[in-house]
Amino acid sequence: MTVRVRIAPSPTGNLHIGTARTALFNWLFARHHGGEFILRMEDTDRERSRPEFAENIISGLKWLGLDWDIGPIWQTQRLHRYQEVIAQLLAQGFAYRSYETEEELEAMRAAQEAQKLAPRYNNQHRHLTSEQEAAFQAQGRKPVIRFKIDDEREIVWHDLIRGEMRWRGADLGGDMVIARADGQPLYNFAVVVDDVDMQITHVIRGEDHLANTAKQILIYEALGAPMPAFAHTPLILNSEGRKLSKRDGVTSISEFRQMGYVAPALVNYMALLGWSPPEGKELLTLPEMVPLFSLERVNKAGSKFDWDKLNWINSHYLHQMSPAQLVAELVPFWQEAGYAVEPERDQPWLEQVAALIGPSLVTLKDGVALARFYMTEQVSYDDEATAQLQQPQSQEILRQFLATSDPQRVEEAQALVQTVMQTCGVKKVQVMKTLRAALMGTLQGPDLLQSWLILARRGFVQPRLQAALSLTQA
RNA sequence: GCCCCCAUCGUCUAGUGGUCUAGGACACCUCCCUUUCACGGAGGUAACAGGGAUUCGAAUUCCCUUGGGGGUACCA
């Protein structure tokens, strides 16, 4: 039997990292088994679903490299199908019409709460006579459809991650609503109809769905449909150990992207949140993970999201990139920062910059601050740099450099430093520090000689030496 | 309240009764490289929640306690 899995996001928000991780596990599972991966949009919540969220989810999955074989399928386009199944369940006696008003249900819950009982529907409309129904209808009440849940029933399944799971029907909250009065199907019902119709073989989702699975199994049975295998993954937790939610700051894939995280790093990190590769090799690309992935190696405990590790992985992928690749990734960030970069014209020069700052990058965004020194003619001088320029020999050192032409190659730069050292009779460190202060405005940063060459090609060396000279003391 | 799940270094984890004086990775600390900051390299600190039981033997099995989490909708 061909493996078929799906990711079923609800377009009520941007692509969340938890959803993305579930998508990743499903994708890996499908690819590992040579199966199919389906994208299905669960947009039955008309009030909260929005097209821009759907767009965000789709582009996010694409960016991550989690391509799907079928879809996107939209639940709202399958309404007639849900209606059909509801009619069937009604006819077979698995479901019935329930006429309570919101207020009545709230009162029921309040009463139960007052008695310290678990809130649940008391199934009071399960056996309405046709006269009673007619009476409610005469009052203008519109019924929701409820699916019968037998209190005595015990639901058992073998979870691929958690082992044997058991639920009592009585703990499921009474007969559940599967469709609103206007015919809109509800999640637990629509999911099953879809998964059955799409012949889903494995349902891999977060453990927050555990109770839903018990309810859904009952619907599979009523439908006489084959049961898929279930696998409930651990949740991604925030630093407090709670389920990561939008309130925890950055959680959507598009935000990570804007912050300068690259897709291979994000995907690699997400995989490590709950799954561990057999050989212990942690740095893996999507294709490398495919043959290694299995649900057996997915952990049961939730995992806290750790920025340090994500940063390390991201920097790893950034450090691996060629200068040309880096430029391609960096340009959008540079342009957004307002730097006048023109890839066509400046490519070789931009690659020099990228090669120089590459090892210092943790995120692409870091490239904005790190490249600033090379992008504008003037720099500001920090306290340390100013102090260095006010050293006794600094003025003479700068005059020497101003008297020569800018170096074109490293060897020339080295030779110039040597010459200035000897002429001024100072140590190399002094020359280097002074030159760095003058050129960069700070005493820390990438390789000085390389920086010098890069600035020279832009014609920024002389103006900066002049500016620095004015800060020196005779 | 009720139901369910989970529990190894600060964090992510390896570990499926003996090879565990518990391994790796991130972070942290030290050292090396070096004109600085990074990068890179070499070391180091650091964990089986507690209590019972089973067993010749338990991080690994069972029970209880504790702690944490999830769910409990006419959301998904």
Side-chain angles (χ1 to χ4, degrees):
Chain A
M1 186 172 58
T2 314
V3 164
R4 297 188 107 198
V5 295
R6 82 314 195 260
I7 180 68
S10 164
T12 52
N14 288 330
L15 178 59
H16 187 267
I17 186 158
T19 309
R21 202 270 241 107
T22 303
L24 171 62
F25 281 7
N26 275 281
W27 185 91
L28 286 169
F29 188 78
R31 296 293 171 254
H32 180 87
H33 292 283
E36 290 178 316
F37 178 55
I38 298 175
L39 170 60
R40 185 174 73 220
M41 287 293 178
E42 311 232 320
D43 56 344
T44 52
D45 186 341
R46 290 238 154 118
E47 292 186 5
R48 298 192 302 148
S49 294
R50 308 193 70 92
E52 56 266 37
F53 291 142
E55 174 49 38
N56 181 279
I57 290 166
I58 288 172
S59 60
L61 289 172
K62 279 185 189 165
W63 180 68
L64 290 172
L66 306 179
D67 55 322
W68 51 93
D69 305 297
I70 299 173
I73 292 166
W74 303 82
Q75 284 192 324
T76 45
Q77 299 195 311
R78 289 172 43 78
L79 287 179
H80 65 282
R81 174 60 182 146
Y82 306 124
Q83 245 97 73
E84 193 177 291
V85 178
I86 284 166
Q88 179 193 326
L89 291 176
L90 243 19
Q92 294 174 148
F94 287 114
Y96 60 91
R97 295 185 176 79
S98 181
Y99 292 86
E100 291 87 356
T101 60
E102 291 276 4
E103 296 70 39
E104 288 169 346
L105 290 174
E106 266 172 47
M108 186 186 299
R109 276 191 284 270
Q112 287 160 341
E113 206 170 317
Q115 294 176 66
K116 297 211 167 196
L117 292 171
R120 72 194 310 275
Y121 176 62
N122 65 9
N123 304 346
Q124 61 187 358
H125 284 192
R126 197 192 268 197
H127 301 292
L128 253 29
T129 63
S130 46
E131 289 75 22
Q132 288 174 306
E133 287 210 40
F136 279 132
Q137 281 166 10
Q139 290 175 29
R141 297 191 184 207
K142 299 280 188 231
V144 298
I145 308 300
R146 282 186 188 271
F147 180 84
K148 292 180 186 170
I149 296 178
D150 183 0
D151 276 358
E152 310 307 312
R153 188 46 214 282
E154 188 175 42
I155 301 140
V156 184
W157 80 87
H158 182 82
D159 194 281
L160 262 25
I161 291 174
R162 271 148 224 284
E164 187 178 274
M165 301 289 305
R166 309 184 90 92
W167 285 78
R168 279 182 300 278
D171 294 326
L172 260 21
D175 295 343
M176 65 168 156
V177 177
I178 57 174
R180 290 174 161 146
D182 63 2
Q184 283 288 314
L186 260 24
Y187 171 74
N188 278 123
F189 167 72
V191 171
V192 177
V193 174
D194 286 344
D195 285 343
V196 169
D197 287 352
M198 293 166 200
Q199 298 174 46
I200 298 301
T201 57
H202 300 260
V203 173
I204 305 167
R205 61 189 8 166
E207 69 168 318
D208 47 346
H209 282 281
L210 243 17
N212 288 333
T213 297
K215 294 177 185 173
Q216 292 172 204
I217 283 174
L218 263 16
I219 298 181
Y220 277 97
E221 290 177 354
L223 261 29
M227 202 75 67
F230 293 98
H232 291 89
T233 70
L235 265 20
I236 299 178
L237 278 17
N238 63 20
S239 54
E240 267 80 56
R242 294 174 193 282
K243 180 165 98 166
L244 195 67
S245 77
K246 315 96 224 157
R247 310 169 66 94
D248 292 308
V250 179
T251 55
S252 68
I253 296 302
S254 48
E255 286 176 289
F256 283 101
R257 186 179 181 178
Q258 283 164 8
M259 289 172 73
Y261 291 93
V262 292
L266 216 40
V267 149
N268 195 154
Y269 179 63
M270 289 192 294
L272 262 21
L273 246 27
W275 174 71
S276 61
E279 301 297 323
K281 187 189 171 218
E282 295 192 317
L283 265 3
L284 299 163
T285 62
L286 239 26
E288 288 169 331
M289 286 184 239
V290 169
L292 302 177
F293 187 79
S294 74
L295 292 174
E296 280 152 38
R297 295 194 66 84
V298 173
N299 214 66
K300 286 197 275 247
S303 33
K304 286 187 190 169
F305 184 89
D306 180 17
W307 285 99
D308 282 333
K309 187 123 184 185
L310 204 216
N311 283 337
W312 175 72
I313 291 178
N314 202 60
S315 59
H316 166 79
Y317 283 94
L318 256 24
H319 298 346
Q320 267 197 332
M321 286 185 185
S322 68
Q325 280 178 294
L326 261 183
V327 169
E329 298 280 4
L330 249 13
V331 162
F333 286 87
W334 283 337
Q335 288 178 331
E336 199 197 336
Y339 300 161
V341 293
E342 285 177 44
E344 301 79 29
R345 189 197 64 197
D346 301 332
Q347 186 64 24
W349 183 78
L350 289 174
E351 285 183 24
Q352 274 189 297
V353 174
L356 189 57
I357 66 172
S360 303
L361 296 175
V362 173
T363 65
L364 292 169
K365 189 92 183 212
D366 294 340
V368 170
L370 287 166
R372 177 165 287 124
F373 303 101
Y374 312 103
M375 298 293 178
T376 53
E377 185 170 299
Q378 294 296 326
V379 287
S380 55
Y381 295 85
D382 68 21
D383 291 348
E384 265 191 327
T386 307
Q388 177 61 33
L389 292 172
Q390 288 172 347
Q391 291 286 310
Q393 316 91 333
S394 292
Q395 188 174 81
E396 184 51 27
I397 292 171
L398 292 185
R399 286 191 194 286
Q400 290 291 326
F401 281 120
L402 272 165
T404 64
S405 56
D406 297 346
Q408 306 276 310
R409 300 182 307 128
V410 190
E411 297 74 32
E412 286 176 49
Q414 283 167 333
L416 275 174
V417 171
Q418 284 298 324
T419 308
V420 173
M421 254 174 77
Q422 283 155 13
T423 326
C424 297
V426 294
K427 289 185 176 177
K428 188 183 178 190
V429 186
Q430 280 308 311
V431 178
M432 295 299 274
K433 282 177 81 172
T434 303
L435 184 58
R436 180 179 287 282
L439 256 24
M440 309 299 281
T442 174
L443 258 29
Q444 308 178 344
D447 185 88
L448 179 56
L449 300 185
Q450 289 298 333
S451 297
W452 195 7
L453 298 179
I454 286 172
L455 291 170
R457 286 182 66 164
R458 274 256 158 150
F460 290 169
V461 170
Q462 295 295 323
R464 288 196 192 177
L465 289 176
Q466 287 292 352
L469 190 62
S470 68
L471 294 174
T472 60
Q473 291 176 341

